[in-house]
Amino acid sequence: MSFLKTNSGRWGSAKWLIIVAGILLLYFAFISGLSTNPGGFYYDEACEAYNGYLIATTGIAENGTSFPLFFQCYTGGFTQWMSPLFIYMMAGMYSFIPPSSLSAHVFSASLVFIATLFLGVLAARISGRWIIGMIVAVTAMATPWLFEISRMVQETSVLSLGIVLFLYCLFNACRRDNWKLSDNILIAFSLAIVTYAYAAGRVLGPGFAFGLLIFAINNKRALFDVFKTWAIYFVFLIPFTYVYFTNGAAITARFKEVSYITADTSWWEVIKEFVPAFFGDISPAFLLLNGDHLHRHHIPVMGGIFVATFLLAIVGLVIVLLRHRGDAWWRFVLYALVISILPGALTVHRQHFLRLLALPILLLILTVPAL
């Protein structure tokens, strides 16, 4: 018996060593080539990296404000406001690592890599099979949409991680009859990450939070859990609310620049703009053939996701509708899929990878039933 226990312990240790080695191999493959590809440093990337460096070394942002919640980049007619999480996380990195475009790119890519790993763990939890988790994780790493976004030093790296963490925490909670207080806190915290991470998150965060009511249908006890989560989420949003009322431009300026919705736009005009925009942002030609037309976001030699991923997601969608429509988790995934299209559909720019970043993540989750 002792011999069997010893060998079992050795196999367990070896298994974990193999897993760690496999993850490290995938990581170094994922970040390879970052010293030369992409070349250059886009001005938005430089702004975020520079402010991260300033916060790390002086605590004062580019515009002279100490530890701001939102960061002003540039002045005059080109003024932009950047969300805080990515810049403060970069500041933490620059406290130990010398600043450079390479370190900034590696940091951004690492966040997306971690998001793909968590997506694989979530797929394994949903399916009960680690092999499916591995397939989803590796597919996510190779998906052009996510891979190319990881090459940009921008807030979307944090947004991708926040979306996956939210879905992971929500799945853990919804598989229990009663949500723990830790579930409420973790779900609310991950929603706050989504909201603070990037402009699109200001649509996704509240949209996902509202969708939690799906878990309360015919379940009064779950309704109390949803209310508790909302209350904690609101506490996390107090600084956000303060900025909105004291410097609203930091939060709303970009939306006003890119949206067709104005104070003078009628509801009918909004609907006429929204419907074709919504369906245009999920057209198969965009997803499978062309991708984002901005070369900063996408190399136009293929679509944003693989044909196999798209087909598996369609099969998974059918399976969910036929077999799992009574499962609150899968109802939420379908709801979140619709919400993921809104940040792009509310703007004048069609088929924009950054604003639609939640879409490929949810499509990858929908491949799980098919797999």
Side-chain angles (χ1 to χ4, degrees):
M1 289 294 292
S2 62
F3 172 77
L4 291 175
K5 289 181 179 178
T6 301
N7 277 276
S8 176
R10 287 175 180 174
W11 165 239
S13 300
K15 180 176 68 174
W16 282 108
L17 284 174
I18 292 170
I19 291 172
V20 171
I23 291 173
L24 288 175
L25 277 173
L26 287 171
Y27 174 68
F28 286 114
F30 192 78
I31 67 170
S32 65
L34 278 174
S35 59
T36 56
N37 184 14
F41 212 43
Y42 195 70
Y43 50 79
D44 281 356
E45 296 177 304
C47 164
E48 303 214 29
Y50 180 54
N51 276 283
Y53 171 72
L54 288 177
I55 291 296
T57 54
T58 67
I60 300 174
E62 175 185 340
N63 68 342
T65 306
S66 297
F67 298 103
L69 186 58
F70 287 83
F71 288 80
Q72 179 182 335
C73 287
Y74 321 118
T75 58
F78 199 64
T79 299
Q80 299 288 323
W81 292 92
M82 300 297 180
S83 298
L85 290 185
F86 187 60
I87 293 176
Y88 278 108
M89 291 171 74
M90 291 192 78
M93 176 191 68
Y94 285 144
S95 299
F96 304 96
I97 297 174
S100 68
S101 62
L102 176 59
S103 62
H105 277 112
V106 170
F107 179 73
S108 182
S110 298
L111 291 177
V112 178
F113 179 80
I114 294 170
T116 61
L117 285 183
F118 269 102
L119 188 58
V121 174
L122 175 58
R125 292 290 309 277
I126 294 170
S127 64
R129 300 181 182 182
W130 278 104
I131 186 63
I132 291 179
M134 292 168 62
I135 292 170
V136 170
V138 173
T139 302
M141 293 173 196
T143 296
W145 198 326
L146 298 176
F147 182 81
E148 289 174 320
I149 292 301
S150 77
R151 266 46 197 166
M152 300 176 62
V153 182
Q154 284 203 300
E155 306 138 303
T156 44
S157 296
V158 180
L159 178 62
S160 62
L161 180 58
I163 292 168
V164 175
L165 288 177
F166 163 69
L167 293 170
Y168 180 80
C169 294
L170 181 61
F171 180 80
N172 284 342
C174 75
R175 284 305 179 251
R176 283 190 274 269
D177 292 331
N178 297 313
W179 293 8
K180 299 178 180 178
L181 179 60
S182 59
D183 293 325
N184 303 125
I185 295 172
L186 288 172
I187 293 170
F189 181 68
S190 57
L191 282 171
I193 292 175
V194 171
T195 308
Y196 281 103
Y198 181 58
R202 296 164 209 168
V203 176
L204 295 174
F208 290 162
F210 180 79
L212 295 178
L213 286 173
I214 290 171
F215 295 94
I217 295 175
N218 301 322
N219 189 340
K220 293 182 179 179
R221 184 181 298 172
L223 183 61
F224 181 63
D225 287 325
V226 171
F227 286 161
K228 281 196 297 183
T229 304
W230 282 356
I232 299 168
Y233 178 45
F234 177 76
V235 171
F236 284 128
L237 292 187
I238 289 175
F240 184 92
T241 307
Y242 173 79
V243 172
Y244 177 79
F245 285 107
T246 57
N247 182 19
I251 295 174
T252 62
R254 185 58 179 161
F255 179 79
K256 291 178 179 178
E257 288 175 4
V258 301
S259 179
Y260 49 79
I261 301 174
T262 67
D264 300 325
T265 308
S266 69
W267 280 105
W268 177 241
E269 290 173 319
V270 170
I271 292 171
K272 285 197 298 183
E273 291 281 351
F274 175 79
V275 172
F278 183 92
F279 289 102
D281 280 351
I282 56 174
S283 72
F286 160 59
L287 296 174
L288 305 177
L289 301 176
N290 303 321
D292 195 319
H293 68 282
L294 291 177
H295 291 184
R296 178 165 64 110
H297 302 166
H298 177 61
I299 300 172
V301 295
M302 64 174 66
I305 62 172
F306 298 125
V307 173
T309 301
F310 181 76
L311 293 177
L312 283 170
I314 295 298
V315 173
L317 175 63
V318 172
I319 292 172
V320 168
L321 292 174
L322 293 178
R323 298 182 182 178
H324 305 301
R325 59 181 180 273
D327 188 323
W329 161 255
W330 286 113
R331 290 202 302 267
F332 182 87
V333 169
L334 297 183
Y335 166 84
L337 186 69
V338 175
I339 294 298
S340 71
I341 307 165
L342 296 185
L346 293 173
T347 71
V348 296
H349 302 132
R350 294 281 56 75
Q351 302 171 348
H352 192 281
F353 269 8
L354 305 189
R355 294 172 192 147
L356 296 168
L357 185 55
L359 181 57
I361 293 172
L362 287 157
L363 289 175
L364 284 161
I365 289 175
L366 275 174
T367 66
V368 173
L371 289 169

